[in-house]
Amino acid sequence: MRVYYSLYGHLLDKARLYKGFKKVWKAKGAVGIDRQSLSDFASNLSDNLDQLFLELKTKQYQPQPVRRVEIPKDDGGVRLLGIPCVRDRVVQQTLNDLLTPIFEMQFHPSSFGYRPQRSCHDAINKATMFIRRYGLQHVVDMDLSKCFDKLDHEFILTSIRKRIRDSSILALIKQFLVSGVMVEGQWQETKVGSPQGGVISPLIANIYLDAFDQEMRKRGHRIVRYADDILIFCRSRAGANNAMVQATKILEKTLKLTVNPHKSHIAHSDEGVKFLGVEIGSRHTRIQPKKLSGFKAKLKGLTRRNSGKPLMEVINMLNPLLIGFSQYFRIANTKREFKKIAAWLRRRLRSLQLKLWKKPSKLHRELKQRGYKPLFSYIRMSGWRSSASPLACYAMTNQWFNELGLVNLEQVATGYVFSHYAEWK
């Protein structure tokens, strides 16, 4: 295993810093404690990169504390994010680009989170392969409490030092770890953890948790890990119990992390294994019910009849949501669910359009233009039941919505996404 003694000089390259900035720009992101936006930084880009280059070269670069942001979680808790300043994100991204190829070679093949050319689909496919092809249907689902916030600084640096002996690189990483956090205007020291929201934090977490991956590999366990979501696949309930004990010991004793005993559990694939938004079963993969209900709630919010927005404007707002949801969950066997959502959404849009037309005469005019002959029955233009009436369906056909450009979930192929890491059907 190659060890690198001189890397800091590669960081002193304005072209690398510019490449790092382009990635930060593409990722967008909020402002840090200095309130400088990406646009502000970009407006004087050359000078800002020159300043960063000079500070790094003279070893006078000092990262600023991150800005604390609280994001509500689905279970009612709060996820703590740390948002670095733009200039610090540029340096972190440049350093991340330098270190990633070095550590990529050693990572466990079943680790998928925050790695180049790997995705959630790859992780789901690998887990599915273990369950259905290998028959490992007893699955340990390990839940880590606030993983990023509890990473031990000394263990981080020790793990990195195995491959990187450049003291300047190690010192720079340590600076990011101990830069602190601003909470309501007050600086707080960070003795443990790497801020979730920092550009380099995912790589640090992968380096940290790779010790767990490799130890489980030595013990002959099949795992799939996506960041801090860990599944361990076993052939029997007794084996799963043993694996859970071993994994807990490694995570808590060696890595000094906290396993959530209330959420960590053993599942059988007949009941469905929850992972990355889906439930992997012995025969089929389904979307988790909470993901479906959350998605429908978003669609409902965009298609309210009292919004007063034109139909095309509503469709333009819906399409990015429909594309994102369908392209992610097409890995599941969800043809029936997609068909139900598509029909329900078209009914909501018919209801919205009836409300916009206001008078039955406009609906009747639309029907005449489509070749239907009066007499037409009267319907309430603002009633939800009217959106399912034959007149509304004749005036606003499924094909009509397709012609308007509404993404049709019924046309999305589901049940399989190719993966280089688990190729099978």
Side-chain angles (χ1 to χ4, degrees):
M1 187 166 61
R2 184 179 175 184
V3 177
Y4 294 79
Y5 291 89
S6 182
L7 278 179
Y8 195 76
H10 293 281
L11 200 63
L12 304 178
D13 183 344
K14 190 174 176 182
R16 280 183 182 269
L17 290 171
Y18 176 66
K19 187 178 177 182
F21 167 76
K22 286 201 296 183
K23 289 186 177 181
V24 170
W25 176 269
K26 187 176 180 181
K28 304 304 178 186
V31 299
I33 62 167
D34 61 357
R35 314 307 297 180
Q36 184 184 42
S37 68
L38 279 165
S39 298
D40 294 337
F41 189 90
S43 65
N44 197 18
L45 182 59
S46 183
D47 288 347
N48 285 327
L49 293 182
D50 284 339
Q51 181 64 31
L52 278 178
F53 176 83
L54 182 62
E55 290 179 19
L56 289 168
K57 187 176 182 179
T58 58
K59 304 288 180 71
Q60 293 181 340
Y61 171 75
Q62 185 67 44
Q64 299 183 63
V66 297
R67 181 170 65 89
R68 169 68 75 232
V69 175
E70 295 184 353
I71 304 294
K73 296 167 70 174
D74 292 339
D75 59 7
V78 173
R79 177 176 284 108
L80 300 178
L81 300 184
I83 310 299
C85 299
V86 175
R87 68 195 314 271
D88 294 335
R89 298 211 294 271
V90 172
V91 176
Q92 285 190 28
Q93 183 65 63
T94 308
L95 181 60
N96 185 78
D97 291 346
L98 189 64
L99 299 183
T100 293
I102 295 171
F103 287 96
E104 265 296 306
M105 293 183 289
Q106 76 177 45
F107 285 153
H108 192 287
S110 290
S111 165
F112 293 95
Y114 307 115
R115 294 182 60 187
Q117 308 302 318
R118 290 174 179 245
S119 67
C120 292
H121 286 165
D122 293 321
I124 293 168
N125 272 326
K126 192 75 175 276
T128 304
M129 184 183 74
F130 283 148
I131 290 171
R132 296 181 195 162
R133 187 194 285 181
Y134 295 177
L136 305 175
Q137 297 182 321
H138 296 269
V139 183
V140 182
D141 184 349
M142 303 296 295
D143 185 88
L144 299 177
S145 297
K146 299 180 179 178
C147 175
F148 280 80
D149 298 331
K150 296 185 178 180
L151 301 178
D152 182 75
H153 288 178
E154 192 54 45
F155 192 90
I156 291 171
L157 295 171
T158 300
S159 300
I160 295 174
R161 203 174 285 120
K162 291 176 182 178
R163 301 296 308 276
I164 308 294
R165 298 289 174 83
D166 188 324
S167 59
S168 296
I169 292 288
L170 293 168
L172 183 59
I173 293 171
K174 187 173 182 179
Q175 280 184 301
F176 286 125
L177 294 174
V178 301
S179 61
V181 57
M182 294 295 288
V183 181
E184 297 180 352
Q186 298 295 316
W187 181 81
Q188 292 184 7
E189 187 178 8
T190 47
K191 294 182 179 179
V192 293
S194 182
Q196 193 169 357
V199 177
I200 203 169
S201 293
L203 175 61
I204 288 174
N206 271 335
I207 294 170
Y208 196 97
L209 288 168
D210 189 60
F212 168 80
D213 300 343
Q214 302 299 344
E215 185 59 33
M216 294 300 284
R217 192 182 197 178
K218 286 179 187 175
R219 300 185 186 199
H221 291 292
R222 299 280 191 176
I223 71 167
V224 170
R225 181 174 66 81
Y226 192 94
D228 57 352
D229 288 330
I230 303 169
L231 298 182
I232 310 168
F233 301 85
C234 304
R235 207 166 291 280
S236 67
R237 179 79 186 193
N241 283 323
N242 178 53
M244 191 171 190
V245 171
Q246 291 182 37
T248 301
K249 184 177 180 181
I250 296 166
L251 290 166
E252 294 194 332
K253 302 296 183 184
T254 306
L255 301 187
K256 302 178 183 179
L257 299 172
T258 302
V259 175
N260 189 331
H262 303 295
K263 292 186 178 180
S264 298
H265 65 283
I266 298 171
H268 193 281
S269 57
D270 285 349
E271 302 157 2
V273 177
K274 294 182 178 179
F275 186 53
L276 301 178
V278 301
E279 289 184 5
I280 306 171
S282 300
R283 293 176 178 272
H284 304 288
T285 302
R286 299 178 178 85
I287 305 175
Q288 290 181 21
K290 67 176 183 180
K291 297 295 182 183
L292 274 175
S293 58
F295 178 60
K296 288 186 72 174
K298 289 180 181 178
L299 296 182
K300 196 172 183 179
L302 290 176
T303 54
R304 296 191 185 281
R305 284 176 289 171
N306 59 2
S307 68
K309 293 177 181 175
L311 184 63
M312 278 308 304
E313 184 177 335
V314 174
I315 288 175
N316 289 334
M317 291 190 295
L318 287 171
N319 279 344
L321 269 180
L322 293 167
I323 292 170
F325 185 84
S326 62
Q327 289 305 299
Y328 182 84
F329 285 108
R330 66 194 170 99
I331 195 169
N333 305 105
T334 187
K335 196 73 176 175
R336 184 181 301 173
E337 292 297 340
F338 278 8
K339 187 175 181 178
K340 287 180 181 177
I341 292 173
W344 171 79
L345 180 60
R346 283 192 295 262
R347 182 176 176 183
R348 288 194 63 84
L349 291 175
R350 287 186 184 108
S351 179
L352 184 149
Q353 185 60 55
L354 288 175
K355 183 78 179 291
L356 290 172
W357 279 338
K358 296 181 181 178
K359 297 178 181 180
S361 58
K362 290 193 176 181
L363 170 63
H364 297 166
R365 185 188 308 158
E366 189 71 27
L367 288 165
K368 290 174 186 176
Q369 289 174 354
R370 291 186 174 275
Y372 295 100
K373 296 180 180 180
L375 293 170
F376 302 119
S377 59
Y378 172 85
I379 63 171
R380 287 181 62 240
M381 300 296 281
S382 59
W384 168 245
R385 291 179 62 185
S386 299
S387 60
S389 72
L391 292 182
C393 294
Y394 293 154
M396 295 171 277
T397 62
N398 294 357
Q399 181 60 32
W400 183 70
F401 284 112
N402 292 340
E403 291 168 0
L404 288 179
L406 177 68
V407 172
N408 189 351
L409 297 183
E410 293 176 308
Q411 296 175 352
V412 177
T414 63
Y416 174 73
V417 174
F418 173 80
S419 172
H420 289 287
Y421 308 99
E423 165 45 16
W424 78 303
K425 288 189 179 180

